[in-house]
Amino acid sequence: MNMRHGTKARRAAGCALAAAALTVSLTACGSGDDGAKDDGASSSAPSGDKPKDDGGNTVPDTSQTLATINGSNGFQVVIHTAARDDGGFLTVSGTIKNTNSGDTQVPLQWNGQENQVKRTGRSLAGITLIDKGEKKRYYVLRDTDGFPLTTTGLARMDSNATENFFAQFPAPPDGTSEVDIQVPLMPNATIEIS
């Protein structure tokens, strides 16, 4: 019995020690308010985007306009940046505006037609880039779980509402300076890569 009682006591002490160590390590992580200078950078913001506005939303750099695409469906897509990232990615960012007089459903075609992205919910995975010189089409990248690396959850927009978006693609070769962007149900536009 003594041996059994000793094992239970050691097990309980080990659990208490593990709980204390976990508490200390979580406390050490803290809120990150250690007096370090906040330069406004965020690792989760796509390249070419300003990290956050006061409301916590990712805000694209709107200082330039690469293309404005007006669709017959009442949506306007403005492309602000198309920037190469380290690691061979191209991040396109911009804004979408509902120019209709009432709230409007975002076209389902913007999700893409692939079964893998259909199961992940509303997204902009249907956007593609065309490199005419290389005769290649680039699709929105997917993460390891099949989720598209683009803005998600966009289903309806109020009249005159504007939403920020981004989409990441494989980067075309370094010699490619322009690509055509295709947003389903909208005319193509040529954008310059930086």
Side-chain angles (χ1 to χ4, degrees), residues 171-192:
D174 289 340
T176 301
S177 60
E178 289 183 342
V179 290
D180 282 359
I181 186 164
Q182 294 183 324
V183 179
L185 304 178
M186 302 185 85
N188 292 357
T190 301
I191 57 174
E192 189 175 337

Side-chain angles (χ1 to χ4, degrees), residues 73-112:
N73 55 8
F75 286 98
Q76 180 184 70
V77 176
V78 179
I79 308 299
H80 296 294
T81 63
R84 293 178 190 274
D85 298 337
D86 293 336
F89 306 115
L90 177 70
T91 302
V92 175
S93 65
T95 54
I96 300 170
K97 182 176 183 178
N98 176 13
T99 62
N100 292 301
S101 60
D103 74 323
T104 308
Q105 182 174 329
V106 172
L108 286 172
Q109 291 84 347
W110 289 6
N111 294 344

Side-chain angles (χ1 to χ4, degrees), residues 82-92 114 125 127-131 134 136-142 149 167-174 176 178-180 191 193:
R84 293 178 190 274
D85 298 337
D86 293 336
F89 306 115
L90 177 70
T91 302
V92 175
E114 300 166 58
I127 297 175
T128 58
L129 300 178
I130 304 294
D131 180 350
E134 295 289 321
K136 289 185 180 177
R137 178 185 304 264
Y138 296 95
Y139 294 88
V140 172
L141 291 168
R142 315 294 192 255
L149 299 180
Q168 284 193 320
F169 301 88
D174 289 340
T176 301
E178 289 183 342
V179 290
D180 282 359
I191 57 174
I193 300 172

Side-chain angles (χ1 to χ4, degrees), residues 3 8 12 24 40 46 52 81 105 117 121 149 191:
M3 196 165 159
K8 284 184 180 181
V24 169
K52 301 281 180 181
T81 63
Q105 182 174 329
V117 296
L149 299 180
I191 57 174

Side-chain angles (χ1 to χ4, degrees), residues 2-194:
N2 282 343
M3 196 165 159
R4 189 177 204 188
H5 179 64
T7 303
K8 284 184 180 181
R10 281 192 299 274
R11 197 175 294 153
C15 288
L17 182 60
L22 181 60
T23 302
V24 169
S25 65
L26 288 176
T27 304
C29 291
S31 64
D33 188 16
D34 57 358
K37 179 183 172 191
D38 181 11
D39 63 0
S42 169
S43 61
S44 64
S47 175
D49 286 356
K50 294 180 186 174
K52 301 281 180 181
D53 69 1
D54 291 337
N57 298 317
T58 301
V59 179
D61 176 6
T62 58
S63 62
Q64 64 178 342
T65 297
L66 301 179
T68 300
I69 309 166
N70 292 303
S72 60
N73 55 8
F75 286 98
Q76 180 184 70
V77 176
V78 179
I79 308 299
H80 296 294
T81 63
R84 293 178 190 274
D85 298 337
D86 293 336
F89 306 115
L90 177 70
T91 302
V92 175
S93 65
T95 54
I96 300 170
K97 182 176 183 178
N98 176 13
T99 62
N100 292 301
S101 60
D103 74 323
T104 308
Q105 182 174 329
V106 172
L108 286 172
Q109 291 84 347
W110 289 6
N111 294 344
Q113 299 301 312
E114 300 166 58
N115 288 333
Q116 186 176 21
V117 296
K118 282 183 179 180
R119 71 175 177 79
T120 62
R122 301 302 294 261
S123 72
L124 300 176
I127 297 175
T128 58
L129 300 178
I130 304 294
D131 180 350
K132 292 179 184 175
E134 295 289 321
K135 296 182 171 63
K136 289 185 180 177
R137 178 185 304 264
Y138 296 95
Y139 294 88
V140 172
L141 291 168
R142 315 294 192 255
D143 68 13
T144 55
D145 293 323
F147 289 90
L149 299 180
T150 184
T151 299
T152 59
L154 197 58
R156 294 190 77 78
M157 290 181 66
D158 292 333
S159 177
N160 292 315
T162 301
E163 293 283 345
N164 301 320
F165 79 91
F166 81 96
Q168 284 193 320
F169 301 88
D174 289 340
T176 301
S177 60
E178 289 183 342
V179 290
D180 282 359
I181 186 164
Q182 294 183 324
V183 179
L185 304 178
M186 302 185 85
N188 292 357
T190 301
I191 57 174
E192 189 175 337
I193 300 172
S194 59

